[in-house]
Amino acid sequence: MKMFFVPNIWNKGRQKMDPIILNFEMIVMLGLLTFTVFLFVSEIVRLDLAALLILVVLGCLTYLPGLDGMIETRDLFNGFASNAVISIIAVMIIGAGLDKTGLMSQLAAIILKYGGKTEKRIIPIISSSVGVISSFMQNVGAAALYIPVVSRISSRTDIPLSRLLMPMGFCAILGGTMTMVGSSPLILLNDLISTTNESLPTDKKIASFSLFSVTPIGLALVSTGIIYFMVLGKWVLPGSPTRTDATSGQSMKEYLKRLYGLKADIIEVDVPEGNILLGETLSDIMDAHHCYIIGTHYNGKNSIAPPLTTTIQTPCRLAILGRGKVIRAMVEDYGLEVLPTLENFSEDFAPTKSGVAETVIPPDSALIGKDARELSFRENYRCSMLAIHRGEETFSNVETEEHEASQIWSIPFKAGDTLVLHTSWDALNKLTEDRNFVVVTTDFPREELRPQKVGWALIFFLIALGMILFTDIQLSLCLLTGAVGMVITRVIDIDEAYNAVGWNTVFLLASLIPLGQAMQNTGTAEWIAQLILTILDGWPLWALQTGIAILATIFTLIMSNVGATVLLVPLAISIAIAAGGDPGLFAMTVAISTSNSFLIPTHQVNALIMGPAGYRVLDFVKTGGIMTILFLIVSMVMMNIVF
């Protein structure tokens, strides 16, 4: 085990510290650190490129006379093989594997079922659940697993991803303070205390902390984060509260209305036992009421794009696409019930699973001269045909201001016809391979789900989780075991695994790790710490503790939280003993405060969510600035109450 010592920075009687002299290497490091902050804040270049530039500059500087002690050249690229970076790569692959089985989509559906479709209800559910998970596994792992869930929730609710990922990421970081295994600094703390005790007299030795010693503090911090986003999220989160994109339900309505004059909503209705619709066929109902029944639900099973000849059995649920007022009139006539949201069909008709697409009948198609009813179009192609666009005419079962309703399933196809379909993306992907169609729509998800692999995915996820919680095996190896297991069992293939990795995040973190190491090697970090602590000399205990917390917060922004903890815990203990304070409390202050990393995207979680949400550094400064202050206040109050 690496040995740590208590430096004599503050001797008895609170005399002056042993001074650390600022030398040439430190001056260069301070300049490089300033340049790094400038690149990050100005965003002249992308952050991952900025980090690579800093890595190159640092490496070149080591070849100059007098600067060879900044970092060993052979250690310059150790960041790419670091435990943190390999862990992030592995957890991204695990997350992609779980998503490939459809598990993440189901979790998103559950959250939407209980959280509705508003930020103020969804954010607390996402944030609290990821906070609990990150209290028992590394917060970056919890965040990576939740990114596909949050992405699917965003696409189904029209809430921008940028307004959901930051609360999730921040609460993943906060959740790491709920147990002594939730973050690397807390895991390391008892080892540092044990090593420090060897140099302390018996009456000054510090008691170690149990697994749940920090739970009240962590709960208060997670609660603070959730309340912060619920109350101020409207103003501090980047992105507008609503959005429109190519796969959202709103866009589908606008698309149909703009191009074909069709006004359509997807509405789920409940058909009670013994209703008068019993025995009626779908085509009869659709012809009579100018709508499309695109899904049925019997005995707990959904049928999407059911055959036109399907007869209604009661009780059941129907997914109907058409004009809202027409559907509601039909519901009133037949004594049906309109559900406020999609329940049984929420997953099937989520924009990530299905939508509107266009295909053209080519001149050599075998379908020419045949109609949809004759071809059993729905049954064979698993698509609901909404309209046929032919020249200047549009045929649809929905009556519009420009066109009368037509029984489009009885209209023979001609070469050049454009078929407007409501289809699952899986079915549309199969149509691209059918020579009887030319699929015009190209921008749609082409993922192939593998629900049959869910067992293997769960097995290797639980194996990785079990290794993390119940063994001393290195975190990266635990996670790689789960990732490789999913690849071997073909939950996800190797090319998909490579594509699942956010390489910009990997290069950002791997390139910054040597900068933190160089700060420690040259003594720059210790010089900064001493400078600040000298200013605090003579202050009361609560002010000293606050100063330690602020110092730890600053250090964790510019170097690894582990490095900041290793450097500052011995300093904090020395200060506490010299000032007559509780050294255990001061040590805990450092370990907790190194999780206060919200201002810039140097924390692993912040770097992870930055790309998918399109965040800028200023977004973190704006939103994370307030969170940083709240963290300091709440953690200081709670630590002094608990300890």
Side-chain angles (χ1 to χ4, degrees), residues 411-471:
I411 299 176
F413 296 134
K414 292 184 178 182
D417 282 352
T418 297
L419 310 185
V420 183
L421 310 173
H422 187 277
T423 174
S424 68
W425 303 130
D426 182 48
L428 184 62
N429 196 41
K430 287 182 169 54
L431 281 187
T432 61
E433 303 170 3
D434 192 326
R435 60 179 295 275
N436 292 310
F437 300 91
V438 175
V439 177
V440 177
T441 302
T442 57
D443 186 16
F444 66 94
R446 295 174 183 266
E447 64 178 349
E448 176 195 353
L449 293 181
R450 302 182 184 117
Q452 72 278 9
K453 295 289 186 178
V454 67
W456 285 114
L458 283 174
I459 286 172
F460 282 102
F461 172 67
L462 293 175
I463 287 174
L465 188 61
M467 291 172 68
I468 294 169
L469 295 178
F470 305 115
T471 73

Side-chain angles (χ1 to χ4, degrees), residues 498-553:
Y498 289 140
N499 291 332
V501 178
W503 295 107
N504 56 335
T505 300
V506 170
F507 276 83
L508 172 63
L509 291 175
S511 300
L512 287 178
I513 287 173
L515 181 66
Q517 186 177 343
M519 286 192 63
Q520 289 181 266
N521 292 348
T522 59
T524 307
E526 194 169 356
W527 178 83
I528 294 173
Q530 188 187 77
L531 180 66
I532 296 174
L533 294 176
T534 301
I535 298 172
L536 297 176
D537 187 14
W539 288 31
L541 275 175
W542 68 267
L544 285 174
Q545 187 188 357
T546 303
I548 291 291
I550 294 173
L551 185 61
T553 300

Side-chain angles (χ1 to χ4, degrees), residues 154-155 157-161 239-255 258 351 443:
S154 172
S155 67
T157 59
D158 290 341
I159 300 173
L161 193 58
S240 58
T242 59
R243 72 169 187 189
T244 300
D245 62 28
T247 59
S248 71
Q250 183 64 28
S251 292
M252 181 191 78
K253 292 169 62 175
E254 292 179 352
Y255 176 78
R258 184 178 72 253
D443 186 16

